[in-house]
Amino acid sequence: MIKEIKFTDKAIKQINNLLSQKDPGSFFRIAIKGGGCSGFQYEFTFDKKLEADDLKHENILIDKTSADLLKGSEVDFVSELIGDQFKISNPQSKSSCGCGVSFSI
């Protein structure tokens, strides 16, 4: 399933850069949580524990429910005037807030 989520070279480079500053064995976790101004929001954290429902791609973890909601998405890392951030282009998103952190399906 995680194969259906694309990571740009810039995203992988930034994830690896961030993980190089963490303890060995750390993972970069992408999750979708309820909340935000549009109903769901993306969450980026670090984790050392692989859960039973996690899907793993190299050093990236995504739980099964979040992976289902991210199916067909592209994860990128962008530098803009408002700052640097991970940006997810999600074809399942019907609308999103102005900052791009929350979305509805």
Side-chain angles (χ1 to χ4, degrees):
M1 178 60 156
I2 204 164
K3 291 184 247 178
E4 297 177 19
I5 302 166
K6 182 181 182 227
F7 294 88
T8 66
D9 291 340
K10 287 192 286 186
I12 295 294
K13 182 179 177 180
Q14 182 63 17
I15 290 167
N16 289 333
N17 180 47
L18 292 169
L19 284 171
S20 72
Q21 302 169 39
K22 297 294 178 187
D23 292 332
S26 294
F27 296 101
F28 184 80
R29 180 178 291 282
I30 302 173
I32 295 177
K33 304 289 182 189
C37 54
S38 297
F40 293 98
Q41 60 188 10
Y42 300 112
E43 181 178 78
F44 305 98
T45 59
F46 299 98
D47 204 337
K48 287 187 132 188
K49 187 176 179 185
L50 183 67
E51 301 292 342
D53 71 333
D54 281 340
L55 302 174
K56 183 177 176 258
H57 174 71
E58 296 179 14
N59 50 10
I60 302 166
L61 301 178
I62 304 175
D63 65 89
K64 172 106 175 67
T65 301
S66 295
D68 289 341
L69 293 170
L70 287 166
K71 184 178 176 182
S73 293
E74 178 181 83
V75 180
D76 194 9
F77 185 77
V78 296
S79 296
E80 299 174 336
L81 288 176
I82 60 170
D84 300 338
Q85 65 181 351
F86 286 99
K87 183 175 183 178
I88 297 180
S89 298
N90 187 341
Q92 297 187 65
S93 172
K94 301 295 181 216
S95 64
S96 64
C97 67
C99 66
V101 175
S102 68
F103 66 100
S104 66
I105 53 173

